Amino acid sequence: MEHRAEARVDVSAIAANIALLKNKAGVELLAVVKADAYGHGLIEVGLAAERAGADWLGVALLEEAIALRTHGVRIPILAWLVSPGSDFKSAVTHDIDIAVSSIAVFNELATLKAKPRIHIELDTGMTRGGFLDEWQEFLTLDFSQVEIVGVFSHFARADEPGEKQNSDQLMCFKKMVEDLAAIGVNPPIKHLSNSAATLMNHDAAFDLVRTGIAMYGLSPDVNTLGSSNDLGLKPAMQVRAKLHLVKSVPAGALVGYGATAGTHRDTKLGVVAMGYADGIPRNSQGAGVAFDGVKAPIIGRVSMDQFVVDLGADSTAQSGDWVIVFGDGSHGEYTADDWARASGSINYEITTRIGPRVPRIYAPHVY
Ligand SMILES: *Cc1c(COP(=O)(O)O)cnc(C)c1O
């Protein structure tokens, strides 16, 4: 069956990005594949990352970790969004490392029969996950029933390398690691860096870096760190869709719900077979598609399953032709960064929200 829309994921781009990031970091690399690998496909990307030399995989949820294991991933896997009451027995059975950021979770792990592998998560200033108020009490606990593999934290502003909060968090991390050393606990793997820190802040590399967005070939922040191209990264996802319909329209036609836009000249409009149900942001004025290397901007509001683009009066596009929604920008198409800017969001959200109705195709991009 021919698709009406597809997300083509080039795993060789992911492999190239992993090689670049490993080289940059000079330490082990954990490939972050949470949230269906930022929309690129959990299992395929997890296995591809392992083949490409990633040393670890990281996910938010325990069920993501177990899915990776049952599909044959052999490298260590860390799950870091694990609440009290989780199925810790399965975590141990599947050899999943668990992040611990509360005494409640620690106590559940310490009462298992088998010795679970844990990474102690520290709140060094982001004020999200990690130990903060329970830290001193945590230091008094009995750690003999767990294997402490790692200690880690997360940056709030690594994409703004000049911000003082980065050095504050780094100092706080070192101080809390010393607290552990003072009671004789020396976790072998200390880790703090996300993609932005891996690219910008070598002092924070420690023993392992956790890279998500850059591994998918996207910049953590185009304004502060530069584009994918500037960073030498290759965007892995290309989304394309079919023109459900091409029609000639006179000047003065009102387009879409709310009649928020209209044609200013006789032109050809294309109806693209994707909508906000597929993760196309409803307000995306300034983004669009490309046909044959020529940009066709969105006109009017995005609907649930479709949106309209202005192809221009001279376009040769016809009903049924493919257009590129976003890609690496090398053939005149919009990028995930263009869509992010147009919709007031970030590239992370653009790829992650491409919905389950859009099949992922593991193949080179097409033009
Ligand atoms: C998502 C996440 C990462 C990856 O962040 P990127 O900016 O995509 O590199 C790293 N560590 C943790 C704890 C995360 O939640």
Side-chain angles (χ1 to χ4, degrees), residues 32 34 38 80 128 152 154 194-196 210-214 348:
V32 180
K34 64 194 180 191
Y38 293 36
W80 54 67
R128 198 180 63 178
F152 76 105
H154 192 50
N194 56 6
S195 292
R210 306 184 305 266
T211 56
I213 198 73
Y348 295 71

